Amino acid sequence: MKVAIVGATGMVGEVMLKVLTERKFPYSEILLVASERSKGKELEVGGQKVAVIGLEEAVSKRPELAIFSAGGDTSLKWAPIFEEVGTTVIDNSSAWRMDPGKKLIVPEINATELTRKDKIIANPNCSTIQLVMVLAPLHKKYKMKRVVVSTYQSVSGTGVKAVKQLENEMAGIEGEMAYPYPINRNALPHCDVFMENGYTKEEMKLAREPQKILNDTSFAITATAVRIPTSGGHSEAVNVSFENDFDLEEIRTLLNTAPGVVVQDNPDTNTYPMPVYAHNKDDVFVGRIRRDETQAKTLNMWIVADNLRKGAATNAIQIAEYLYEHDLLGSS
Ligand code: A2P
């Protein structure tokens, strides 16, 4: 199988190459694709040096699969061009996520929806993925009514330029700014762009994407997304009200048995999820599980995951593995 990684030189692209190798993804040839300015640059994949090519050359090679992480505009323009030559596209940008004709997939939750007809498949937002991984089993059992989430998001979610901004600020170097303000020693209640309703686009992704993934509009989510100077992963403080009451031990057992979710929750030993611990791991970690004492049938918890792995690269590659294992790649 010929596989193209579009955005191979980016933050997510780099992790994709690592995860593909780690998981021994069965490709016969790998095409590393980036912008014109990176053409010819060599990257290492599975111990081999591979030169970066442009989008047109990649299309001409007709890969069976292309995984995109090169921004929404590149996806909007190029995913349909790949589709035309028979490539199945898994897209990490927000370009196709809310398109009613495209599926939004977290494999542990809804991969069974995928068919051979799905040629452009959307990977959810990083903050959404870790949130729904924990909400899905709880929703199934107790039925969610309302979720309030506040995020503490890593600079790596913004891309190479933002990581550089933080590094520069920490070293006292003046350099290019990815954010409108300093990020070191700061917290910016501003992830992605502002919308007309006063929310940011990231907050609206968190509100809408889980309903599509869970195929259910009976619950509502409201979010505040905040960028903080961490680099290992995103954290989320989550308050969930349910229709049905719950038992805390039952919730811990339920979450511990959910695939890809790990409970780290013991106040006696200061055990709780943290970005430094989640970094480079594929699981979603949940802790600080406790009752909201101000409201019936309501739970508080803290969710952390590596936003570049399960929040992006790993989830996309899990989708690819599902397609491959279920013989869903190729023309319909
Ligand atoms: P390049 O490195 O050549 O700019 P990040 O989000 O971490 O900044 O990474 C963005 C990724 O998307 C990079 O690999 C970048 O390539 C790629 N990219 C950005 N714009 C384009 C484009 N117009 N065509 C192809 N790849 C692009």
Side-chain angles (χ1 to χ4, degrees):
M1 175 172 35
K2 214 183 281 178
V3 179
I5 304 296
V6 181
T9 54
M11 294 275 355
V12 175
E14 188 186 331
V15 179
M16 274 192 201
L17 302 185
K18 212 155 77 176
V19 176
L20 279 173
T21 310
E22 272 173 26
R23 296 174 78 99
K24 301 189 168 53
F25 190 79
Y27 59 81
S28 54
E29 186 183 347
I30 192 153
L31 310 173
L32 304 185
V33 190
S35 76
E36 292 298 310
R37 53 189 173 266
S38 300
K39 257 186 174 174
K41 185 176 168 182
E42 289 196 327
L43 300 176
E44 205 179 291
V45 200
Q48 294 210 318
K49 286 211 179 300
V50 181
V52 172
I53 58 172
L55 279 154
E56 275 178 26
E57 188 179 344
V59 170
S60 75
K61 295 194 172 225
R62 298 172 174 259
E64 278 82 19
L65 177 69
I67 310 181
F68 273 58
S69 195
D73 292 342
T74 306
S75 296
L76 274 178
K77 179 171 174 200
W78 288 90
I81 299 174
F82 275 93
E83 182 183 6
E84 255 174 51
V85 298
T87 305
T88 301
V89 173
I90 299 170
D91 181 40
N92 208 28
S93 80
S94 60
W96 305 100
R97 287 181 193 147
M98 297 313 294
D99 183 322
K102 308 281 183 288
K103 295 190 180 146
L104 185 60
I105 301 292
V106 176
E108 290 87 345
I109 301 172
N110 63 345
T112 51
E113 287 178 19
L114 291 169
T115 69
R116 237 167 201 278
K117 291 204 172 83
D118 297 307
K119 290 292 165 229
I120 300 178
I121 299 159
N123 203 48
N125 175 249
C126 45
S127 309
T128 302
I129 293 177
Q130 65 185 73
L131 181 66
V132 285
M133 283 286 288
V134 173
L135 293 184
L138 300 181
H139 184 48
K140 207 166 168 190
K141 175 104 186 169
Y142 308 107
K143 197 158 182 9
M144 294 187 294
K145 287 200 313 199
R146 179 169 185 256
V147 181
V148 183
V149 53
S150 301
T151 69
Y152 304 68
Q153 299 188 208
S154 152
V155 290
S156 62
T158 314
V160 174
K161 204 171 140 189
V163 173
K164 192 73 200 157
Q165 179 182 333
L166 176 60
E167 284 170 2
N168 282 343
E169 287 174 12
M170 288 170 77
I173 299 167
E174 252 191 56
E176 222 188 325
M177 301 276 282
Y179 302 114
Y181 296 99
I183 185 65
N184 192 26
R185 303 183 187 204
N186 208 358
L188 308 179
H190 178 183
C191 298
D192 209 331
V193 295
F194 280 100
M195 321 258 309
E196 265 179 19
N197 64 358
Y199 285 79
T200 59
K201 202 168 165 192
E202 184 84 358
E203 289 162 350
M204 295 316 295
K205 290 173 197 168
L206 271 161
R208 293 187 178 134
E209 291 177 15
Q211 294 187 335
K212 180 162 176 178
I213 297 162
L214 296 173
N215 194 20
D216 190 344
T217 52
S218 69
F219 62 87
I221 299 184
T222 186
T224 303
V226 182
R227 190 75 60 188
I228 59 164
T230 47
S231 59
H234 290 351
S235 307
E236 296 176 341
V238 183
N239 178 273
V240 199
S241 300
F242 296 103
E243 294 249 346
N244 305 311
D245 206 1
F246 54 80
D247 171 82
L248 283 179
E249 262 325 292
E250 196 178 60
I251 288 214
R252 288 194 185 93
T253 309
L254 196 67
L255 291 176
N256 245 337
T257 49
V261 178
V262 174
V263 175
Q264 290 181 317
D265 194 24
N266 187 354
D268 294 340
T269 54
N270 295 338
T271 302
Y272 36 74
M274 290 183 289
V276 286
Y277 182 80
H279 186 48
N280 268 331
K281 303 207 173 78
D282 288 320
D283 289 319
V284 174
F285 300 90
V286 56
R288 301 295 322 281
I289 298 169
R290 63 214 192 272
R291 232 171 232 289
D292 178 344
E293 295 183 334
T294 68
Q295 184 146 281
K297 303 175 192 171
T298 302
L299 184 74
N300 276 312
M301 57 192 168
W302 175 252
I303 303 169
V304 181
D306 186 326
N307 52 297
L308 296 180
R309 288 188 72 112
K310 183 57 185 168
T314 303
N315 197 73
I317 290 164
Q318 285 174 320
I319 296 173
E321 287 170 347
Y322 184 92
L323 294 171
Y324 174 76
E325 281 159 16
H326 292 79
D327 195 20
L328 300 178
L329 291 163
S331 34
S332 41

